Amino acid sequence: MTKCRAVKLAMDIALYGLMLALMSYPLTRGLLRHGVCGAAFVMLLLVHQALNLGWYRTLLRGRWSARRVLLTGTDALLLLSSAALIVSSLAMAGEVFSFAPFPMAWWGRELHMAATAWTFVLASFHLGLHGHGLWNSTRLLLGRAWRPATWAFFTLGAALFAHSGLWNDMLMTGVPKARLAGLALFLAHYVGITLCCCLLARGAWSFMDRVFSRGR
């Protein structure tokens, strides 16, 4: 692994950990702690974008295969949701930091909750589209148990997603998410949701791969 790749991997892990912390009330109880962690998340997100400038430079180059459409479409949606997350964070900054130049906007909280949910789900899906070496190694390790294991974890993750109520934030229904008592229960739900999104991404990747192969 190159140093650049190692830095990017560490950045991805830090961003994921901070997002879990920000979405967990036990970890970031209190507006000040949430605001500080949020500011760190935004800074890391900007650094992450700077490390991936090559993606922007080559965006319009080359041939567009089905797999590339899937990857680029996911990245574009993730970029939009992240931008909405940052904008909504700035709109709410006056509630946390006294030096913020603008007060709390009436639309800030609702947009912030929706953008957070979409960013988490899209980031998890994005994660599943990468790390092909890890996926292949896991598949070889599990052998025949691979298919039933993936279906079992996908079903469990989908059930946790439904129980968490995260989809209410995504659709802006106004219905509050489920109260997950304790950090362990929160992590079980949201790590399970991440795994479900990763497996869904792998399924979409395989489907696109078959479509692309038929078209050659």
Side-chain angles (χ1 to χ4, degrees):
M1 181 183 293
T2 64
K3 288 184 179 179
C4 182
R5 192 171 182 84
V7 169
K8 288 183 178 181
L9 179 60
M11 187 72 62
D12 290 344
I13 293 172
L15 281 169
Y16 181 74
L18 268 176
M19 175 150 272
L20 283 178
L22 286 164
M23 295 176 74
S24 167
Y25 180 73
L27 283 176
T28 54
R29 182 181 290 120
L31 285 177
L32 181 58
R33 189 184 302 178
H34 188 87
V36 171
C37 288
F41 177 82
V42 170
M43 292 300 296
L44 282 179
L45 190 60
L46 294 175
V47 173
H48 177 80
Q49 295 301 317
L51 290 174
N52 288 278
L53 287 177
W55 181 78
Y56 294 96
R57 287 194 293 265
T58 61
L59 187 58
L60 300 178
R61 301 176 189 173
R63 184 170 176 269
W64 284 85
S65 65
R67 289 174 294 180
R68 187 180 179 190
V69 169
L70 177 65
L71 285 167
T72 306
T74 301
D75 290 345
L77 290 173
L78 180 55
L79 186 61
L80 286 174
S81 67
S82 299
L85 181 59
I86 292 174
V87 169
S88 62
S89 298
L90 293 174
M92 296 172 61
E95 287 290 298
V96 183
F97 303 110
S98 59
F99 55 82
F102 30 77
M104 167 73 169
W106 63 270
W107 47 265
R109 178 173 173 78
E110 190 173 2
L111 177 61
H112 189 68
M113 297 294 287
T116 298
W118 276 105
T119 299
F120 181 77
V121 169
L122 287 168
S124 298
F125 191 88
H126 169 84
L127 182 64
L129 292 176
H130 297 274
H132 304 293
L134 176 61
W135 286 109
N136 291 334
S137 298
T138 305
R139 188 167 188 167
L140 288 173
L141 180 65
L142 292 178
R144 293 182 179 179
W146 166 258
R147 188 175 295 275
T150 53
W151 276 110
F153 280 112
F154 176 79
T155 303
L156 176 61
L160 292 172
F161 174 75
H163 180 260
S164 71
L166 188 64
W167 54 275
N168 284 306
D169 287 341
M170 296 174 71
L171 300 177
M172 302 177 75
T173 64
V175 178
K177 295 192 297 294
R179 286 281 184 178
L180 303 175
L183 181 59
L185 190 59
F186 169 83
L187 289 176
H189 273 72
Y190 282 81
V191 172
I193 293 170
T194 296
L195 183 56
C196 177
C197 292
C198 286
L199 291 172
L200 183 63
R202 295 313 301 175
W205 176 268
S206 298
F207 175 76
M208 287 295 188
D209 194 30
R210 289 194 296 271
V211 170
F212 174 71
S213 298
R214 288 173 185 172
R216 285 188 296 185

